[in-house]
Amino acid sequence: MNRRMRKLLPLTLMFIAVLPALAKDDETKIKAVVEDRYKEWIAAASKKDAEALTDLYDENAVLMPKQEEPVIGKAAIGEYYKKLVADPHYVPFTETFESNSFHVVGDIAIDTADFDGELTRDGKYIHFHGKILIVWKKQKDGSWKIFRRRSSASMPGSPSPLWPIARPPRIWPAVEANPGGSRRCPRWQRSLASMPS
């Protein structure tokens, strides 16, 4: 090794040793920013502010509501939220998130969390619980917006706390015929068919 390389080697090793700590510090800061975005989302949902809800999404975002088709693109997501908050059954709610996995890869942050919430509708107290997966994308201005969102909540009589109306009609997949002529239903379809309405 030449003399210059010997001088650079300790600096390189020190940089390699410090890099994971710097990345972890960055991840902690990003997680704090994302937690603030969750608070903005809850405040906007409680105020029935479709515009503020929509503003939390990236232009190319995909929202995947439970038991509904994916909503693709910010404009379509805006229409979805306008319809949602205009529904007379939609009521303000409280909600808390507990992140159980958070990873940052470049300009993407992936968060999985459990959430609990409460609302009162028609004089009845309702508690709901669920899980959420959100992929956040860093914007050119440095902010973080929702790039992909999927949640699953259990709440009596409703598919999700963000769509608190009657459950939509279930559309069952077609039953396939096997070569022997008998009709069979793939395992995932059987498990869906056994779910209560």
Side-chain angles (χ1 to χ4, degrees):
M1 245 197 252
N2 70 26
R3 194 175 180 158
R4 189 173 190 185
M5 290 293 283
R6 278 188 238 149
K7 285 182 179 180
L8 288 176
L9 184 60
L11 289 173
T12 304
L13 292 174
M14 187 173 80
F15 180 73
I16 290 170
V18 170
L19 195 58
L22 292 174
K24 188 68 176 170
D25 184 47
D26 227 19
E27 190 170 286
T28 302
K29 288 177 184 174
I30 294 167
K31 187 175 180 181
V33 169
V34 163
E35 287 172 354
D36 287 342
R37 300 299 275 176
Y38 277 122
K39 291 173 189 170
E40 290 175 45
W41 185 88
I42 293 166
S46 291
K47 292 177 186 172
K48 297 184 173 189
D49 188 342
E51 187 176 330
L53 283 165
T54 305
D55 190 50
L56 293 168
Y57 286 83
D58 180 81
E59 288 298 323
N60 299 307
V62 177
L63 171 63
M64 297 185 298
K66 185 177 176 183
Q67 298 180 338
E68 295 181 55
E69 291 297 315
V71 184
I72 300 171
K74 190 172 185 172
I77 291 169
E79 292 304 312
Y80 174 87
Y81 280 123
K82 284 178 191 172
K83 183 179 175 184
L84 172 73
V85 300
D87 188 282
H89 293 98
Y90 182 85
V91 294
F93 57 91
T94 61
E95 197 169 57
T96 57
F97 292 87
E98 182 70 37
S99 181
N100 50 39
S101 167
F102 190 83
H103 299 282
V104 178
V105 181
D107 289 345
I108 298 290
I110 304 164
D111 191 16
T112 59
D114 291 323
F115 61 86
D116 285 285
E118 302 171 343
L119 60 87
T120 303
R121 186 184 310 121
D122 301 327
K124 290 183 181 178
Y125 165 83
I126 299 171
H127 175 266
F128 57 89
H129 173 79
K131 298 181 183 312
I132 191 165
L133 168 68
I134 296 186
V135 177
W136 298 86
K137 186 175 181 184
K138 189 174 185 180
Q139 306 297 295
K140 289 179 182 175
D141 66 2
S143 66
W144 289 83
K145 294 198 175 190
I146 299 169
F147 189 55
R148 300 290 186 268
R149 182 178 187 278
R150 172 74 172 125
S151 65
S152 176
S154 60
M155 187 167 96
S158 177
S160 107
L162 269 191
W163 196 255
I165 59 174
R167 186 175 285 205
R170 188 165 292 174
I171 300 169
W172 299 110
V175 176
E176 300 172 355
N178 70 20
S182 66
R183 294 173 65 80
R184 66 179 179 84
C185 190
R187 186 175 73 201
W188 69 269
Q189 291 177 339
R190 286 193 302 270
S191 65
L192 281 177
S194 66
M195 292 175 61
S197 293

